[in-house]
Amino acid sequence: DVKVTQSSRYLVKRTGEKVFLECVQDMDHENMFWYRQDPGLGLRLIYFSYDVKMKEKGDIPEGYSVSREKKERFSLILESASTNQTSMYLCASMIQGDQPQHFGDGTRLSIL
Amino acid sequence: RKEVEQDPGPFNVPEGATVAFNCTYSNSASQSFFWYRQDCRKEPKLLMSVYSSGNEDGRFTAQLNRASQYISLLIRDSKLSDSATYLCVVNRGGNNRKLIWGLGTSLAVNP
């Protein structure tokens, strides 16, 4: 089974802080994704990475950046956290383009 | 028009009932189709991939209709544990890694 691990289940940060969300997968998958999920809006793609050091913007990249220094790890960075970034953040990995994605447990992030 | 549309429900059914969900998609180039299940405040989990010829996994059957651009999920003999939100997911065409997620259909199975 694919194991995707997110560093925190719950996180509370303050406005203006730089926030790091970490995600690790153990299946040597090329592709990794960061989503946020909000009520009524569904899953929205923030960024994804298809190889080490490679990244591509998703639908809502503003206010976020990512880092993929190692294949197994994909980090999401909130450069200067704002209250509208309070959300559930989900990391996923996928082996190749026509395969399903597998998710971590999610991080519930609150920005105060 | 949304790229992936689902009836949000909620569908309230008694235990043992058969229930079906449909999902329409707008991109005729989409090649990969999935149903995910999401429990309240949890991550989405893959229920099943959907293949052109249709496929079955126990009480669950998925169908794809490319001509009409919809996929369906049939659940037979509903269990209380089937209560969840069911997400329809398609890719953005060809082998595009990006997926388009429906907003989900809520199912409540009642005793």
Side-chain angles (χ1 to χ4, degrees), chain A residues 31 35 37 48 59 101 104, chain B residues 36 38 43 92 97-98:
Chain A
N31 305 285
Y35 294 89
Q37 187 175 27
F48 79 99
D59 300 313
Q101 294 178 10
Chain B
Y36 278 73
Q38 187 171 26
E43 78 279 15
R92 297 191 184 194
R97 298 170 183 88
K98 295 182 189 176

Side-chain angles (χ1 to χ4, degrees), chain A residues 31 33 35 37 40-43 45 48 50 56-57 59 90 94 97-101 103-105 108, chain B residues 2 32 34 36 38 40-46 49 87 91-92 94-99 101-103:
Chain A
N31 305 285
F33 304 80
Y35 294 89
Q37 187 175 27
L41 297 177
L43 270 81
L45 181 65
F48 79 99
Y50 50 92
E56 194 169 314
K57 291 180 180 178
D59 300 313
L90 290 157
M94 179 178 78
D98 61 348
Q99 297 298 305
Q101 294 178 10
F103 286 85
D105 291 342
R108 289 201 170 272
Chain B
K2 290 180 184 172
S32 302
F34 309 99
Y36 278 73
Q38 187 171 26
C40 189
R41 301 178 71 81
K42 298 285 189 111
E43 78 279 15
K45 291 186 178 176
L46 178 68
S49 302
L87 302 170
N91 81 333
R92 297 191 184 194
N95 283 325
N96 196 313
R97 298 170 183 88
K98 295 182 189 176
L99 300 178
W101 294 77
L103 296 183

Side-chain angles (χ1 to χ4, degrees), chain B residues 10-87:
Chain B
F11 284 63
N12 284 285
V13 302
E15 267 188 292
T18 295
V19 61
F21 309 136
N22 282 339
C23 164
T24 59
Y25 62 94
S26 61
N27 187 345
S28 59
S30 292
Q31 294 290 336
S32 302
F33 308 89
F34 309 99
W35 283 103
Y36 278 73
R37 171 205 168 114
Q38 187 171 26
D39 294 293
C40 189
R41 301 178 71 81
K42 298 285 189 111
E43 78 279 15
K45 291 186 178 176
L46 178 68
L47 180 65
M48 57 199 305
S49 302
V50 186
Y51 302 118
S52 297
S53 54
N55 47 300
E56 189 173 307
D57 183 2
R59 298 182 292 109
F60 300 85
T61 301
Q63 297 278 354
L64 167 64
N65 185 317
R66 286 190 187 274
S68 301
Q69 293 183 204
Y70 75 85
I71 66 173
S72 63
L73 178 68
L74 182 78
I75 306 174
R76 289 182 299 278
D77 188 22
S78 300
K79 312 291 185 191
L80 296 176
S81 57
D82 294 334
S83 298
T85 297
Y86 290 84
L87 302 170

Side-chain angles (χ1 to χ4, degrees), chain A residues 4 6 23 30-35 45-50 66 68 74 90-97 99-103, chain B residues 96-99:
Chain A
V4 180
Q6 293 185 228
C23 175
E30 302 289 339
N31 305 285
M32 296 186 75
F33 304 80
W34 275 106
Y35 294 89
L45 181 65
I46 304 171
Y47 267 97
F48 79 99
S49 168
Y50 50 92
V66 289
R68 185 126 181 244
F74 191 34
L90 290 157
C91 174
S93 76
M94 179 178 78
I95 188 168
Q96 63 190 40
Q99 297 298 305
Q101 294 178 10
H102 301 272
F103 286 85
Chain B
N96 196 313
R97 298 170 183 88
K98 295 182 189 176
L99 300 178

